[in-house]
Amino acid sequence: MSAPVWRRLARWRVPLGFASAAAAFWLAQPTPRSLAAGLAVALPGELLRVWAAGHIVKGREITTSGPYRFMRHPLYLGSSILGAGFAIAACSWPVAALVAAYLGLTLLAAVRTEEATLDDRFAGDYSRYREGRFEGPARSFQWGRVMANREHRTMAGFLILGCLLAVKAWW
């Protein structure tokens, strides 16, 4: 795919996520056991996202503290783990395929677009970060950053979707 196609797909990942979640919920066949297993998988994904959101200052600098010391895209990895947990909770192969397709395409598009943008914006510092040759500011975790990065929305979505799947499982 060309760069403009990746950019467009990256921009549409949130509305596509809501549409995919609605379709996945409709196809879901959760059971109490699948819900418990899915939660056990998804919760660490949300915790990783919270940890990352508490360190990153989006668009202002290259973040190298918290989980960014160990990986380039902890928010996206957390989203992938959340998606895997949702697929397990849904107890449906079509949902698993939908989640994998959505996350595979949109997160790849986001990573490609974001990395190119960061490298341009920060004069090659992002390439140095990828190569392990960039020392960013040391920063401690702050809940204010979690809120500023709107991670509370993901937490709310996690809880709401979990509750809806629970209702569907016991309905």
Side-chain angles (χ1 to χ4, degrees):
M1 280 194 235
S2 67
V5 172
W6 286 120
R7 271 190 223 103
R8 238 177 285 125
L9 187 55
R11 260 184 272 147
W12 280 89
R13 77 178 182 270
V14 172
L16 287 172
F18 283 114
S20 296
F25 179 74
W26 183 71
L27 294 168
Q29 300 172 349
T31 66
R33 187 173 176 188
S34 72
L35 280 171
L39 176 63
V41 171
L43 186 58
E46 181 54 34
L47 293 174
L48 176 58
R49 286 188 54 86
V50 168
W51 185 28
H55 283 272
I56 192 170
V57 180
K58 293 181 181 179
R60 292 199 180 161
E61 64 189 23
I62 307 295
T63 301
T64 59
S65 62
Y68 293 92
R69 287 180 299 203
F70 310 109
M71 63 192 83
R72 291 195 312 250
H73 301 285
L75 288 167
Y76 298 150
L77 177 59
S79 293
S80 296
I81 295 168
L82 275 169
F86 174 74
I88 291 166
C91 198
S92 164
W93 285 109
V95 169
L98 179 62
V99 168
Y102 166 75
L103 288 172
L105 286 172
T106 60
L107 294 184
L108 179 60
V111 165
R112 286 181 177 223
T113 302
E114 185 178 286
E115 287 187 347
T117 301
L118 288 171
D119 218 30
D120 287 345
R121 181 177 290 164
F122 299 109
D125 281 346
Y126 192 77
S127 286
R128 285 187 283 288
Y129 165 67
R130 285 193 332 232
E131 296 163 2
R133 299 183 302 115
F134 178 77
E135 290 286 331
R139 173 180 300 121
S140 60
F141 176 90
Q142 288 185 1
W143 278 105
R145 274 193 219 98
V146 173
M147 301 308 280
N149 286 314
R150 298 183 294 229
E151 188 58 27
H152 59 284
R153 292 180 181 180
T154 304
M155 289 187 277
F158 172 70
L159 291 171
I160 290 167
L161 200 49
C163 288
L164 289 173
L165 284 174
V167 167
K168 191 168 185 177
W170 279 287
W171 191 265

